[in-house]
Amino acid sequence: MRVVSNTTPFIALSAVGCLGLLETLYGGVTIPLAVVEELAQGGPIAVPDPRTLSFVTVATQPATPLPELLYQLDYAESRAIVLALSEATDLILLDDRQARNIAAYLGLTVKGSLGVLAEAKRQGLLVAFTEKALTMQRQGIRFAPRLIREIALT
């Protein structure tokens, strides 16, 4: 399965010690260089340098024109969507609602960090979805409580 990710899933999954789920569930992920650059800026949640992770491929992209819709997004989100569109990706991982909506509008299959946790739970790789999701929230990752409840029921 070919998967592209933006920055926030790396941060959110790292916050709960579940970054390795990306390798377990998908075999690996591809990220644009913009995600590496964004993660290098640091923050309150420790995230390993993605270039050191064996399951991560960093794609350098030529300067391609962006679809006009993508100018509404931050640089890493727009680059992840362009990468997913250019590489016939099966799935793109995005948490930002606007980015998710635009990616879906452009024909991409989208999943967020909570969707990754839910998939792991369905496959028996994770015991407590809600506990992990609430821990993400306590770490500063913003998800609507309603969304967590809805996904927990699936």
Side-chain angles (χ1 to χ4, degrees), residues 113-131:
S113 299
L114 294 178
V116 172
L117 291 180
E119 185 175 344
K121 186 172 191 302
R122 278 191 296 278
Q123 291 190 24
L125 302 170
L126 187 68
V127 176
F129 165 83
T130 303
E131 178 185 319

Side-chain angles (χ1 to χ4, degrees), residues 17-87:
C18 290
L19 188 58
L21 287 175
L22 297 178
E23 180 177 24
T24 305
L25 293 170
Y26 309 120
V29 295
T30 303
I31 59 173
L33 185 57
V35 168
V36 174
E37 293 165 351
E38 210 168 67
L39 288 171
Q41 294 174 12
I45 297 169
V47 180
D49 181 338
R51 295 169 295 193
T52 67
L53 302 172
S54 63
F55 63 91
V56 176
T57 301
V58 179
T60 54
Q61 294 174 287
T64 55
L66 298 176
E68 195 170 314
L69 280 173
L70 299 184
Y71 287 113
Q72 303 170 50
L73 305 177
D74 80 18
Y75 186 68
E77 288 167 343
S78 64
R79 294 321 279 154
I81 291 171
V82 167
L83 178 61
L85 288 169
S86 69
E87 298 204 3

Side-chain angles (χ1 to χ4, degrees), residues 6 8 72-73 77 94-101 110:
N6 183 40
T8 308
Q72 303 170 50
L73 305 177
E77 288 167 343
L94 296 162
D95 283 328
D96 178 81
R97 183 183 304 173
Q98 185 177 25
R100 292 167 58 85
N101 289 342
V110 181

